Amino acid sequence: MLNPRLETLLDSPFRRIDRLLEPIKPPSGLKPVILTVGEPQHPQPDLLAKVLRENEHDYGTYPPIPGTPEFRRAVADWLTRRYALPAGMIEPDRHIVPVSGTREGLFLLAPAVVPETKGGGKPLVLMPNPFYQAYIGAAVAAGAEPHYVAARAETDFLPDLASIGPANLARAALAYVCTPTNPQSTVGDLDWLKRVILLAREHDFVVAIDECYAEIYDRAPPPGGLEACAQLGGSMKNVIVFHSLSKRSSVPGLRSGFAAGDPEVIARYTRLRFYSVAGMPMPVFAASTALWREESHVEANRAIYRRKFDMAQRAIGNRFGFRRPAGGFYLWLDVGDGERVAKELWGKAAIKVLPGGYMARDVPGEVNPGKQYIRIALVADERATQEAMQRLAEAL
Ligand SMILES: Cc1ncc(COP(=O)(O)O)c(C=O)c1O
């Protein structure tokens, strides 16, 4: 007997794009550039290999699920510095737990917080539409109903959670939101974050704020959920933020991140994690501790993205609703028909991009909010990006 709930999960966007492009041959003289997956291809920080090597004797230990004290301290210090939080607001032992990448962390939060029923019905898990795949996987696996909140140009590509109405809000058990956003690379400001948090408290749901792109930004550092909590008086009730080294330090294969926030949620979530996750190897804890304490490699990483944003801006200009990413590293271009243009770019220019509709769901009575877009992940190195932007500008 298979779990029928999983029928809700479609094939991954990356399988779908491979299937779509399979019959199309890219031009033989052009080297393909893959801009579908958000996997940074920038140099890894030197610090990483050094610390991993120094700690390689430690693979003989099962990793502690709550992390090492040094890791939690480094994370608490980083959060406090990054978001100018009051000293002592983040207590390393109560407010932080490591995750093996935010994908795993986001997923496992749902079974820790979604009850059997809420507001007299099946619990809802709210998520923006389009959204990151782990959110729907989590909702479905936890036995909740995914509820999509459109994130279109009219709302600055942010979901307006209050728009779903009181009956749905009463059933909401968990909401996933993301800032900077994937796929649109916009940033929710402090007012938006505060509204989301106050709504979660009013209707008693947990809000998971996915901040894995927080350290990739063009000008101003994006504000964060815990910063909003501090401004609302300091309580982190109902709020969990997620951070990752995958984008910040260009190490998506390290599988290192953390969750932080409401101590009651962290306690319950950690208890579930003791029963499920493998944990981060000890050398990875040591390397992650060092990386959260070091900023110069992150600044260098941001500088590479800024140069690539310049290349994209020069190549695309004002066409297709181009916006320079305020945070994150995706271009979200309004090309009219994402699938058609993805095929064209592969066939004419050997560039692989994601049709925006693959990241969104069809909601009855609404236009799929991703359909008219393509998502371009600016993750290749600078030379490949320059080449890709030129080819893209010519092909479009
Ligand atoms: C919005 C969003 N959240 C979470 C993740 C997961 O990142 P990781 O598990 O590497 O921390 C990604 C990865 O691309 C993402 O785009």
Side-chain angles (χ1 to χ4, degrees):
M1 181 58 193
L2 299 174
N3 184 344
R5 286 206 306 268
L6 297 199
E7 299 302 320
T8 312
L9 304 182
L10 305 175
D11 244 356
S12 115
F14 306 114
R15 285 196 166 179
R16 289 172 73 192
I17 182 66
D18 285 347
R19 253 197 330 263
L20 182 81
L21 301 184
E22 166 131 60
I24 304 169
K25 276 256 161 300
S28 57
L30 293 180
K31 187 165 178 233
V33 187
I34 309 302
L35 303 177
T36 40
V37 186
E39 181 186 62
Q41 303 295 306
H42 295 184
Q44 294 176 15
D46 297 336
L47 194 58
L48 173 66
K50 177 175 169 289
V51 181
L52 284 176
R53 240 188 346 263
E54 285 166 2
N55 288 273
E56 63 192 5
H57 56 279
D58 239 357
Y59 286 108
T61 311
Y62 272 125
I65 298 303
T68 60
E70 296 78 16
F71 173 86
R72 290 193 302 273
R73 181 82 257 167
V75 165
D77 289 349
W78 178 81
L79 281 169
T80 305
R81 255 191 342 267
R82 168 66 173 79
Y83 295 108
L85 303 178
M89 178 174 154
I90 308 293
E91 296 172 42
D93 297 350
R94 290 179 71 221
H95 297 133
I96 292 167
V97 67
V99 297
S100 297
T102 48
R103 180 192 186 94
E104 169 269 293
L106 290 158
F107 178 86
L108 207 62
L109 182 65
V113 302
V114 172
E116 293 295 313
T117 64
K118 170 107 194 294
K122 187 169 174 175
L124 300 182
V125 171
L126 314 182
M127 63 196 74
N129 195 22
F131 56 88
Y132 177 62
Q133 300 304 302
Y135 310 158
I136 187 174
V140 169
E145 191 177 308
H147 191 91
Y148 313 104
V149 189
R152 301 179 196 273
E154 300 87 79
T155 53
D156 207 13
F157 297 108
L158 295 164
D160 174 10
L161 299 187
S163 70
I164 68 172
N168 285 325
L169 286 166
R171 283 176 57 203
L174 170 64
Y176 288 104
V177 296
C178 183
T179 172
T181 58
N182 170 9
Q184 309 95 335
S185 297
T186 49
V187 167
D189 64 14
L190 273 170
D191 281 345
W192 179 80
L193 284 164
K194 286 183 205 168
R195 281 203 303 281
V196 169
I197 291 166
L198 291 175
L199 196 74
R201 289 180 185 161
E202 185 185 342
H203 296 278
D204 195 24
F205 60 84
V206 171
V207 59
I209 310 179
D210 181 352
E211 301 182 347
C212 72
Y213 293 97
E215 289 289 87
I216 310 300
Y217 54 83
D218 191 22
R219 298 208 164 82
L226 298 184
E227 191 178 358
C229 288
Q231 292 198 5
L232 288 169
S235 163
M236 288 173 270
K237 195 165 162 23
N238 297 53
V239 178
I240 298 287
V241 300
F242 285 87
H243 282 270
S244 173
L245 290 175
S246 299
K247 326 289 179 184
R248 175 184 182 268
S249 302
S250 293
V251 287
L254 191 65
R255 312 314 296 134
S256 177
F258 67 84
D262 186 331
E264 274 185 47
V265 177
I266 291 287
R268 180 158 297 235
Y269 178 55
T270 305
R271 193 185 313 168
L272 179 63
R273 297 181 64 78
F274 267 106
Y275 282 84
S276 53
V277 301
M280 237 187 250
M282 292 299 275
V284 176
F285 271 126
S288 306
T289 303
L291 289 173
W292 285 113
R293 290 206 175 282
E294 214 287 322
E295 293 294 338
S296 69
H297 75 283
V298 189
E299 189 46 59
N301 195 26
R302 272 194 292 272
I304 301 176
Y305 282 112
R306 287 186 188 117
R307 292 196 291 273
K308 297 198 292 184
F309 298 161
D310 289 340
M311 293 171 193
Q313 194 163 8
R314 275 197 300 272
I316 302 169
N318 293 328
R319 298 191 292 160
F320 312 110
F322 174 86
R323 287 168 299 109
R324 205 179 152 94
F329 50 53
Y330 298 105
L331 304 181
W332 186 238
L333 299 183
D334 183 354
V335 292
D337 178 345
E339 271 193 336
R340 181 180 56 76
V341 170
K343 287 197 276 191
E344 226 169 83
L345 284 175
W346 186 240
K348 282 194 203 160
I351 297 173
K352 199 188 268 193
V353 301
L354 203 63
Y358 290 8
M359 294 208 56
R361 275 303 168 109
D362 288 322
V363 174
E366 292 180 18
V367 177
N368 180 316
K371 199 173 166 45
Q372 75 209 58
Y373 295 90
I374 51 171
R375 188 190 82 167
I376 301 178
L378 286 181
V379 288
D381 65 31
E382 290 180 69
R383 263 180 64 184
T385 301
Q386 178 63 35
E387 163 91 23
M389 289 302 114
Q390 261 162 15
R391 281 194 225 161
L392 183 114
E394 282 162 24
L396 291 178

